[in-house]
Amino acid sequence: MVKVRFAPSPTGYLHIGGARTCLFNWLYARHTGGKFILRIEDTDIARSKKEYLDEILESIKWLGMDFDEIYYQSKRFDLYREYAQKLIDAGRAYKKDDAIFFKYDFANVEIDDLIRGKIVFNELPKEEEVIIKKDGTPTYNFSCCIDDALMEMSLVIRGEDHISNTPKQILMYKALGFKIPQYAHVPLIMSEEGGRMSKRYGATSIREYKQEGYLAQAIANYLLLLSWSPGGNREIITLNEAKDIFEIKKVNKTAAAFSMDKLNWINGEYIKKKSPDEYIALIEEYLKDKDFVPESTDKDYLRKVLLLFKDRLSKLSDLFVRARFCFYDDYTYDEDTKEILDRNLSKEIKVLADKLSGITNFNKEETEKEFREVAASLGLKPKDLVHPTRVALSGKKVGPGLFESMEVLGKEKVVSRLNRLIDYWDKGTDANG
Ligand code: GLU
């Protein structure tokens, strides 16, 4: 019977390394038709918090995973003490200063890791170690050993940072006569700069990525790719697809570097894949508590604005910067538009504003036609007019298609914003008019 577990400690939010370990366990269980156990390692009463536990459970679900059973180590303290007593009775542990110590025997420990191959542990653990603390709670290695054994784990998939614990746990298994499971140690996730992922280099918790507007499927997809490949240069794969072909033995041995660019690309692909309605629903949910879109915004207008950006986002929070001009008039011209604005085209833009205000059917085809005619009549290349027009309408150097943007903004806004730029040139008023 295949049985694996993910064993988070609720002393912090679910981080990306933990999420990937969880994904690998889930994929392995679902691929083999085995059981996936969630074991909450909340033995540290002081540091374990309900807030963290709730978030871990929520993130696991959000990422698209489910589990078959859940256990809380805090409810099993009696059991650990019972097994500690067995070790005392067998002469393998003893009591000192109100704590129980386990005496390691220095047997050679060797495992056949499913990812890393044969590992021989030459560095022997220290002679003895506390297994039950003064307050009666177990230490990690002991409760982990007892639970993995009693819950009959067939395989332990966990981060490589636990590799030094493995021989200790195996020696405890041996002392208790338990059957030793197989192991698969997953390589660490490194930051782009090298070194371990840390806050300094960006978000480390799943929750922060969610808040930034990353999609669950995209994060799961990217975390998988970090140390496993579906083969054939394939990069976009859902959990459901992955579960059919996932093999723990194919997980890379070497540490993977987290690339924000790659995650952004994958996330953008998942956003593009959404149907317009799915996309709108997703954004509405995302924006719910964000106070970004003014309340008075017309529903139809909101929809058009959001669709304008659909295929151009890497994450939903990009909207806050990129789409702000669609909801607010008080933007200034970005620093990097200075070069464009240095060329005073107020007369030409005036001609454009007048021509555009004469259009009755203000859509992208009509505005483009008029725009090109104006440019030609002034002896300008279209792009000479495109750049300042875009700055006028959005304050930005880059953005969605100019004529699509015009159609969405509507004639009144377009004309008044062009006039604002003219005043900026002619009267030296600031970008806000
Ligand atoms: N609670 C441990 C952790 O969060 C679990 C390690 C293990 O999987 O054995 O790192």
Side-chain angles (χ1 to χ4, degrees):
M1 176 67 180
V2 167
K3 229 174 170 190
V4 289
R5 86 307 193 268
F6 176 55
S9 303
T11 52
Y13 298 118
L14 184 66
H15 57 88
I16 49 177
R20 190 195 44 168
T21 300
C22 188
L23 280 167
F24 284 167
N25 275 290
W26 183 87
L27 285 170
Y28 182 82
R30 295 300 173 248
H31 180 79
T32 53
K35 279 217 157 93
F36 178 47
I37 311 297
L38 192 61
R39 187 169 76 223
I40 306 300
E41 303 211 322
D42 52 355
T43 53
D44 189 335
I45 311 281
R47 286 176 59 228
S48 298
K49 299 231 156 41
K50 181 164 187 309
E51 181 196 349
Y52 296 136
L53 170 65
D54 291 345
E55 185 278 333
I56 291 169
L57 296 176
E58 195 187 304
S59 286
I60 290 174
K61 189 170 158 208
W62 182 69
L63 288 169
M65 294 177 279
D66 56 352
F67 46 83
D68 303 304
E69 288 164 30
I70 182 167
Y71 295 95
Y72 294 85
Q73 288 192 323
S74 59
K75 296 194 177 136
R76 299 164 63 84
F77 287 159
D78 286 346
L79 194 75
Y80 308 128
R81 290 192 281 257
E82 188 190 308
Y83 277 87
Q85 187 57 49
K86 283 189 186 170
L87 286 172
I88 294 176
D89 295 345
R92 293 300 314 273
Y94 67 98
K95 231 179 175 152
K96 188 177 77 182
D97 303 332
D98 290 330
I100 300 176
F101 289 77
F102 174 70
K103 296 187 278 187
Y104 288 109
D105 59 3
F106 293 97
N108 246 357
V109 176
E110 199 180 295
I111 60 168
D112 195 10
D113 190 286
L114 292 189
I115 296 171
R116 300 163 57 99
K118 184 167 144 176
I119 308 175
V120 181
F121 294 96
N122 293 316
E123 261 192 40
L124 298 169
K126 47 185 184 181
E127 223 164 301
E128 54 180 38
E129 198 159 300
V130 176
I131 51 173
I132 302 285
K133 293 187 275 186
K134 284 183 186 174
D135 63 5
T137 63
T139 51
Y140 158 71
N141 278 312
F142 188 57
S143 50
C144 182
C145 152
I146 300 297
D147 282 348
D148 283 340
L150 297 184
M151 294 172 189
E152 299 179 312
M153 295 303 156
S154 57
L155 169 65
V156 170
I157 303 173
R158 65 181 165 202
E160 204 181 85
D161 47 335
H162 281 289
I163 224 164
S164 61
N165 289 317
T166 300
K168 297 182 179 182
Q169 292 173 14
I170 288 178
L171 291 175
M172 291 177 183
Y173 271 89
K174 287 185 172 164
L176 284 160
F178 288 146
K179 185 167 173 279
I180 297 163
Q182 282 192 293
Y183 288 91
H185 289 94
V186 180
L188 298 180
I189 301 176
M190 311 297 268
S191 71
E192 263 161 299
E193 293 78 4
R196 290 186 71 165
M197 291 285 289
S198 71
K199 288 249 176 256
R200 202 140 65 91
Y201 299 119
T204 52
S205 71
I206 293 299
R207 154 183 199 274
E208 286 166 278
Y209 283 96
K210 184 179 179 188
Q211 282 163 357
E212 278 285 299
Y214 287 94
L215 276 54
Q217 301 97 313
I219 295 178
N221 187 148
Y222 181 56
L223 288 180
L224 282 188
L225 285 195
L226 263 180
S227 4
W228 173 78
S229 162
N233 291 332
R234 181 167 180 196
E235 303 204 280
I236 300 295
I237 184 161
T238 64
L239 277 191
N240 244 344
E241 293 164 335
K243 114 181 165 247
D244 293 338
I245 54 172
F246 181 77
E247 276 181 68
I248 192 76
K249 286 188 177 167
K250 297 259 169 76
V251 170
N252 300 337
K253 284 192 200 39
T254 46
F258 190 88
S259 157
M260 199 57 89
D261 285 346
K262 187 72 175 272
L263 173 62
N264 283 340
W265 176 77
I266 291 179
N267 203 55
E269 291 300 303
Y270 276 90
I271 296 174
K272 278 188 218 162
K273 276 209 299 192
K274 299 268 172 210
S275 72
D277 284 343
E278 283 168 348
Y279 164 79
I280 297 289
L282 182 75
I283 306 254
E284 282 183 345
E285 177 63 29
Y286 179 71
L287 292 179
K288 233 165 45 191
D289 54 352
K290 303 283 192 300
D291 200 21
F292 172 59
V293 178
E295 252 175 65
S296 58
T297 307
D298 176 73
K299 270 253 167 210
D300 193 44
Y301 177 72
L302 174 61
R303 186 182 166 91
K304 283 185 191 151
V305 168
L306 295 180
L307 289 176
L308 190 59
F309 290 90
K310 179 173 181 285
D311 294 348
R312 296 180 170 87
L313 298 175
S314 1
K315 52 186 187 298
L316 305 184
S317 59
D318 289 345
L319 283 171
F320 300 141
V321 176
R322 298 210 207 147
R324 193 179 177 283
F325 74 89
C326 297
F327 304 112
Y328 300 90
D329 290 320
D330 66 349
Y331 56 84
T332 51
Y333 303 139
D334 284 354
E335 202 54 43
D336 64 359
T337 63
K338 194 174 173 305
E339 214 175 302
I340 297 167
L341 298 185
D342 274 349
R343 183 173 178 199
N344 186 323
L345 287 176
S346 75
K347 286 197 183 60
E348 292 80 353
I349 294 288
K350 181 78 194 135
V351 176
L352 178 67
D354 289 345
K355 285 281 185 199
L356 291 177
S357 59
I359 297 179
T360 33
N361 195 3
F362 202 81
N363 59 27
K364 80 174 201 262
E365 291 78 18
E366 293 297 313
T367 52
E368 176 162 10
K369 197 170 133 243
E370 201 63 66
F371 189 94
R372 289 186 184 281
E373 279 173 24
V374 170
S377 74
L378 295 169
L380 290 171
K381 289 194 213 94
K383 80 168 185 359
D384 292 332
L385 269 191
V386 165
H387 294 305
T389 300
R390 172 168 284 126
V391 177
L393 300 186
S394 65
K396 310 223 155 291
K397 196 171 161 180
V398 288
L402 187 62
F403 306 108
E404 291 162 273
S405 303
M406 284 194 188
E407 178 175 329
V408 169
L409 288 170
K411 183 157 85 177
E412 200 188 316
K413 273 205 178 97
V414 169
V415 172
S416 85
R417 289 178 180 196
L418 288 173
N419 282 322
R420 191 204 294 178
L421 179 58
I422 293 167
D423 285 348
Y424 171 85
W425 274 320
D426 293 354
K427 302 184 192 157
T429 49
D430 72 16
N432 289 327

